[in-house]
């Protein structure tokens, strides 16, 4: 149908923009591959106690996979819900737990979304209907919004949600203390890159990274000033990003047997994050074994071409909606 084709073309424009305008990045080193055939659409990624945690995209039951990076094998599965709506993200919660974000809303019809604190680790466990899982309702202040990024601010533990929109993401903070059984209203604090599919804080708590399907952008926190970006390796459908305790960046993708890649950051960007890290151990914000990559200058021409394409697609969309 003309309308469907127009909408599809419109959605592709931001991906083309991001891929064309981001500085060149490295291919990324394969840290491991998911060996579990049940991990078919890895949509979020977190590092907890040296293990990697992921969740499948919408359509799966409420379960969280814990993976040993030494082998890529699943060493634990936690079942926390029977029928979540649209799970899209996972983030470290401390104490051997993660926050699971049931925050997706592609149709834009959900009056609220939920996050749950779920215990993870080695072994099989079911915490469905038990007191082991605290679930909280989050409400967007301006009505339904699709989101795939859930971050946790180091130190405070406050949750940050990033909407997934075509013309720029909205970064929102949850209340410092969440309450069960009531609506916890999100508060907008700034803007991020369009089509954000995941995000994570660096250990210093002063920087965070957001990704889309083609690039990763690093921002200061809480000012949300962009300090650098890097083009990500080609992936089937890259939807996960995580930062470990040493500041090393990892990205994941949908697909059975998909690799988790360790991504080097540009040397100047790495230096910027290191320069402001004041952690007591003095180890710096990023691991010293990250490969140095020089950041290429960002060309301006892709934005002009992208703008022209966006206008053309909008015209086609309007024409397709005319009554015939």
């Amino acid at each position: 149908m003309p309308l469907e084709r127009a909408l599809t073309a419109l959605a592709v424009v931001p991906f083309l923009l991001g891929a064309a305008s981001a500085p060149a990045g490295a291919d990324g080193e394969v840290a491991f591959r998911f060996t579990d055939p049940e991990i078919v659409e890895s949509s979020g990624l977190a590092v907890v106690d040296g293990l990697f945690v992921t969740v499948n995209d919408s359509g799966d039951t409420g379960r969280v996979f814990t993976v040993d990076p030494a082998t890529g094998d699943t060493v634990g599965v936690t079942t926390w819900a029977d029928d979540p709506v649209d799970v899209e993200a996972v983030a470290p919660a401390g104490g051997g737990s993660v926050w699971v974000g049931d925050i997706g809303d592609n149709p834009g019809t959900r009056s609220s979304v939920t996050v749950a604190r779920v215990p993870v680790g080695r072994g099989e466990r079911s915490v469905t209907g038990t007191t082991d899982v605290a679930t909280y309702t989050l409400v967007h202040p301006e009505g339904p919004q699709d989101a795939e990024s859930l971050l946790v601010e180091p130190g405070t533990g406050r949750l940050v949600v990033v909407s997934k929109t075509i013309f720029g993401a909205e970064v929102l903070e949850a209340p410092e203390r969440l309450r069960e059984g009531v609506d916890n209203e999100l508060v907008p604090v700034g803007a991020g890159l369009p089509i954000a599919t995941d995000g994570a804080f660096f250990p210093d708590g002063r920087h965070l990274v957001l990704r889309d399907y083609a690039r990763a952008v690093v921002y200061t926190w809480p000012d949300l000033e962009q300090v650098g970006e890097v083009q990500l390796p080609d992936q089937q459908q890259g939807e996960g990003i995580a930062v470990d305790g040493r500041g090393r960046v990892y990205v994941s993708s949908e697909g059975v047997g998909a690799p988790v890649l360790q991504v080097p950051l540009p040397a100047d960007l790495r230096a910027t994050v290191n320069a402001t890290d004041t952690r007591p151990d003095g180890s710096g914000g990023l691991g010293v074994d990250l490969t140095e990559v020089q950041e290429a200058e960002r060309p301006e021409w892709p934005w002009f071409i992208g703008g022209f394409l966006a206008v053309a697609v909008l015209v086609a969309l309007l024409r397709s909606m005319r009554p015939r």
Side-chain angles (χ1 to χ4, degrees), residues 164-184:
K164 184 183 182 184
T165 52
I166 292 176
F167 296 111
E170 189 172 36
V171 181
L172 307 104
E173 276 188 330
E176 187 170 0
R177 179 181 291 274
L178 296 174
R179 294 187 299 157
E180 289 188 85
V182 301
D183 290 342
N184 295 274

Side-chain angles (χ1 to χ4, degrees), residues 91-162:
S97 298
V98 294
W99 287 105
V100 178
D102 186 355
I103 56 176
D105 188 14
N106 288 317
T109 58
R110 301 179 67 179
S111 59
S112 64
V113 295
T114 61
V115 292
R117 185 167 182 161
V118 178
V120 294
R122 297 181 182 272
E124 305 283 326
R125 72 188 80 184
S126 176
V127 292
T128 304
T130 74
T131 57
D132 294 333
V133 177
T135 302
Y136 303 93
T137 300
L138 303 181
V139 177
H140 290 276
E142 298 178 1
Q145 287 192 43
D146 186 31
E148 293 190 2
S149 306
L150 181 67
L151 300 78
V152 178
E153 183 181 17
T156 67
R158 175 175 286 187
L159 297 183
V160 175
V161 176
V162 184

